[in-house]
């Protein structure tokens, strides 16, 4: 047995993999699927299944929605301060169960363990933040003249369906579940079929913290068998979806039939601009982290590096040298880059890179699948740098969702802004510069839901996050994320 095999065996035991829930979580308990189907979940670092779980159906969705509907009104009537206390206990329990949650996330998603540990801390912070916000949902008094009283009230929207992606299973769940619960909504959550387990463990934690039965339900399975029936369900009041543009469009169509509110986060192709005056000692490592964190599988990843022509050669040289030293392997080894989430995603990344190569783009570094010695069956792609002179090339325009960085060259600041705005996506954007005037202009002129200056991923949980254009609409995180799950009522009273 290799050293990694021995450590993996210990980690599986520590994470209690054999005891992972296999059923849905509905009405406060784990339950078997009504139609009895199961699926396997794979460890991307090894390319092998490690646990099985329920593959639900329309019947399971109906049962979960009915449970959520029954529980929602009582939860909405619970005092906001008490809702906040329960959310705070959830945060504490997440931290107490942090080691197990991180290990399970690592096995399920292919993340490096240190990345998964960071996700656990972020999940706890999300519940802490919305625990403090639960009793601060204030309306406003509106001056309308003598003899009248007019005011607004924020009320919970009702039953919320949430469709969660595979790249950040725990934190994506929390950024929707925590504000919805804080407002007084109930939730039916469908995790991605590739990564179901931390959502199920989170539901169990919520139960232990005192969340009433039925307020938070989890139904696992495929998009066709669970996601479709959930978004088309006539008793859902709001849908939060994170995923591809194509699926998001179908979710909107289903929601339109029932006049259901929708929040969509549909990914991006985010620009990361380095101006000639920037501090390259800081900017180069930041550019690396912006794309190679979680093997590039981040909706807001800085996947397009736009550099002024004066520093193009130095940036390319520094990046190539730094990337040559990156180590790729199983998440438990905590090297520099982890696995791609699935065989299908790995094939998709490879196809994008091969297409770019075939169109004559320069592969400066990487560009191939990898097979680490300790994890030869896993799904890995070499950190890759591709220079693309044509801003209309598919490698520039299309989201890859892998460790692939596209290099574009700008003649000056105005050209950099034009390149930054050169796709239909508008999720995030970043700039490194010592010129604060240019930084402010960039923030004003570039269409993106979130802008970073001199540090990619700089925004904490308190800052709203979401996209424009093909990246969707609506906001998560911050107080704007709380308002997502509220409906505004105005009251005007004639004083007699």
């Amino acid at each position: 047995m290799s050293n990694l095999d021995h450590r993996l065996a210990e980690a599986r035991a520590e994470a209690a993999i054999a005891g992972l829930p296999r059923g849905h979580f509905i009405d406060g308990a784990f339950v078997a699927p009504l139609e009895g189907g199961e699926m396997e979940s794979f460890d991307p670092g090894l390319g092998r299944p490690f646990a099985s779980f329920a593959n639900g159906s329309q019947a399971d969705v109906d049962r979960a929605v009915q449970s959520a509907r029954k529980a929602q009104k009582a939860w909405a009537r619970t005092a906001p301060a008490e809702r906040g206390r329960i959310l705070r206990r959830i945060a504490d329990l997440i931290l107490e169960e942090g080691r197990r949650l991180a290990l399970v996330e690592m096995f399920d998603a292919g993340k490096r363990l240190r990345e998964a540990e960071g996700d656990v801390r972020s999940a706890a912070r999300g519940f802490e933040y919305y625990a403090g916000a639960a009793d601060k949902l204030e309306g406003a008094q509106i001056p309308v003249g003598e003899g009248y009283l007019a005011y607004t009230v924020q009320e919970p929207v009702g039953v919320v369906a949430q469709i969660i992606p595979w790249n950040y299973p725990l934190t994506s769940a929390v950024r929707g579940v925590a504000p919805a619960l804080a407002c007084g909504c109930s939730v039916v959550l469908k995790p991605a079929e590739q990564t179901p387990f931390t959502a199920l463990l989170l539901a169990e934690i919520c139960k232990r913290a005192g969340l009433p039965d039925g307020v938070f339900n989890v139904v696992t399975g495929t998009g066709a068998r669970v996601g479709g029936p959930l978004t088309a369900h006539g008793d859902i009041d709001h849908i939060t979806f994170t995923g591809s543009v194509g699926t998001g469009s179908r979710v909107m169509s289903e929601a339109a039939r029932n006049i259901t509110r929708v929040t969509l986060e549909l990914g991006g192709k985010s620009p990361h601009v380095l101006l000639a005056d920037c501090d390259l000692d800081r900017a180069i490592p930041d550019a690396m982290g912006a794309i190679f964190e979680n093997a590039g599988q981040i909706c807001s990843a800085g996947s397009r590096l736009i550099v002024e022509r004066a520093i193009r050669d130095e940036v390319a040289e520094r990046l190539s040298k730094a990337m040559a030293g990156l180590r790729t392997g199983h998440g438990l080894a905590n090297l520099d880059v982890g696995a791609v989430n699935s065989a299908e995603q790995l094939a998709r990344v490879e196809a994008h890179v091969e297409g770019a190569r075939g169109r004559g783009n320069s592969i400066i570094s990487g560009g191939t699948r990898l097979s680490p010695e300790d994890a030869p069956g896993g799904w890995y792609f070499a950190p890759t740098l591709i220079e693309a002179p044509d801003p209309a090339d598919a490698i520039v325009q299309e989201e890859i969702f892998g460790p692939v960085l596209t290099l574009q060259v700008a003649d000056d600041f105005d050209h950099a802004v034009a390149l930054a705005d050169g796709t239909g996506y508008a999720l995030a954007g970043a700039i490194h510069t010592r010129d604060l005037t240019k930084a402010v202009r960039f923030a004003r002129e570039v269409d993106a839901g979130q802008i970073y200056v001199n540090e990619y991923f700089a925004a904490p949980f308190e800052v709203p996050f979401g996209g424009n254009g093909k990246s969707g609409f609506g906001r998560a995180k911050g107080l704007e994320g709380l308002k997502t799950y509220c409906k505004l009522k105005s009251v005007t009273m004639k004083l007699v």
Side-chain angles (χ1 to χ4, degrees):
M1 178 182 288
S2 71
N3 179 52
L4 180 60
D5 286 337
H6 179 72
R7 292 171 61 196
L8 285 168
E10 289 182 335
R12 290 188 190 101
E14 188 178 0
I17 295 298
L20 285 174
R22 298 174 65 174
H24 311 301
F25 191 88
I26 298 175
D27 205 24
F30 288 111
V31 297
L34 290 174
E35 296 182 3
E38 281 198 346
M39 301 178 65
E40 289 181 320
S41 189
F42 286 74
D43 174 358
L46 298 176
R48 299 199 299 261
F50 75 98
S52 59
F53 61 98
N55 185 9
S57 65
Q58 173 80 60
D60 299 309
V61 170
D62 290 342
R63 181 166 51 161
V65 173
Q66 182 180 18
S67 173
R69 178 60 65 190
K70 182 176 65 176
Q72 192 271 323
K73 289 190 181 299
W75 176 241
R77 288 194 295 267
T78 301
E82 176 59 21
R83 294 201 299 265
R85 281 189 283 270
I86 291 174
L87 265 61
R88 182 59 200 232
R89 287 198 291 270
I90 294 170
D92 292 340
L93 287 173
I94 287 173
L95 293 176
E96 287 180 21
E97 297 290 334
R99 176 69 176 177
R100 187 188 187 201
L101 286 168
L103 285 168
V104 170
E105 194 89 323
M106 177 197 72
F107 282 120
D108 217 8
K111 293 175 179 285
R112 296 181 299 158
L113 181 57
R114 68 168 62 97
E115 290 173 341
E117 289 169 340
D119 289 352
V120 170
R121 291 190 294 272
S122 179
R125 174 62 189 137
F127 272 100
E128 288 174 352
Y129 180 82
Y130 288 114
D135 59 356
K136 298 171 182 65
L137 268 172
E138 299 175 347
Q141 188 268 323
I142 303 168
V144 293
E146 186 176 354
Y148 293 89
L149 173 64
Y151 60 93
T152 60
V153 180
Q154 300 277 5
E155 296 181 341
V157 70
V159 178
V160 176
Q162 300 197 359
I163 315 294
I164 302 304
W166 49 258
N167 60 327
Y168 280 87
L170 182 59
T171 56
S172 292
V174 168
R175 73 186 191 187
V177 171
L181 297 182
C183 292
C185 297
S186 60
V187 176
V188 179
L189 183 144
K190 181 221 171 286
E193 55 262 39
Q194 297 90 343
T195 52
F197 287 112
T198 46
L200 292 167
L201 295 178
L202 176 62
E204 186 177 42
I205 284 172
C206 290
K207 164 86 170 181
R208 289 168 52 197
L211 191 70
D213 294 348
V215 174
F216 179 31
N217 307 272
V218 179
V219 182
T220 59
T222 66
R225 287 172 56 90
V226 175
L230 182 57
T231 57
H233 203 288
D235 210 18
I236 294 293
D237 300 303
H238 184 103
I239 301 167
T240 292
F241 171 82
T242 302
S244 70
V245 173
T247 305
S249 178
R250 291 195 295 274
V251 168
M252 284 187 66
S253 296
E254 294 288 356
R257 291 189 182 96
N258 295 317
I259 319 298
T260 303
R261 295 165 35 142
V262 181
T263 297
L264 299 178
E265 199 253 274
L266 305 179
K269 192 71 176 178
S270 299
H272 191 176
V273 172
L274 307 188
L275 296 186
D277 71 338
C278 76
D279 181 351
L280 285 178
D281 290 337
R282 296 181 60 182
I284 294 296
D286 195 48
M288 299 265 290
I291 185 60
F292 300 133
E293 181 81 10
N294 196 26
Q297 299 166 124
I298 306 176
C299 299
S300 55
S303 56
R304 293 189 295 130
L305 191 65
I306 300 169
V307 302
E308 280 199 279
R309 193 172 301 280
I311 58 172
R312 181 268 171 210
D313 292 348
E314 183 177 1
V315 168
E317 182 180 355
R318 285 201 187 199
L319 280 172
S320 298
K321 183 177 180 180
M323 290 168 64
L326 293 177
R327 302 163 301 159
T328 301
H330 194 283
L332 191 62
N334 265 329
L335 301 177
D336 302 303
V337 183
V340 174
N341 179 263
S342 67
E344 294 78 12
Q345 184 61 21
L346 179 61
R348 183 174 181 273
V349 172
E350 184 176 41
H352 273 292
V353 173
E354 289 306 309
R357 194 194 312 270
R359 293 187 298 273
N361 293 290
S362 174
I363 311 297
I364 298 175
S365 183
T368 61
R369 293 191 186 207
L370 293 179
S371 184
E373 184 178 337
D374 278 352
W379 302 315
Y380 300 96
F381 201 84
T384 298
L385 178 63
I386 301 175
E387 185 164 12
D390 182 2
D393 192 274
I395 204 69
V396 174
Q397 293 294 322
E398 297 179 15
E399 185 177 44
I400 299 172
F401 231 58
V404 179
L405 178 61
T406 300
L407 179 64
Q408 298 177 264
V409 180
D411 296 325
D412 52 28
F413 172 76
D414 290 327
H415 188 203
V417 169
L419 290 175
D421 257 349
T423 75
Y425 292 105
L427 185 57
I431 187 168
H432 273 260
T433 180
R434 290 184 172 92
D435 188 330
L436 295 185
T437 298
K438 288 182 177 177
V440 172
R441 280 187 58 197
F442 181 87
R444 183 182 66 239
E445 295 176 20
V446 171
D447 184 17
Q450 192 165 72
I451 296 290
Y452 313 114
V453 177
N454 290 332
E455 182 186 338
Y456 211 93
F457 298 136
F461 206 96
E462 295 85 344
V463 180
F465 175 78
N468 305 325
K470 285 169 59 180
S471 292
F473 49 82
R475 294 295 180 263
K477 300 184 178 180
L479 291 179
E480 292 299 320
L482 190 69
K483 294 174 185 176
T484 293
Y485 301 104
C486 294
K487 54 188 179 183
L488 187 69
K489 176 184 289 182
S490 65
V491 179
T492 306
M493 180 185 305
K494 170 69 173 175
L495 302 178
V496 295

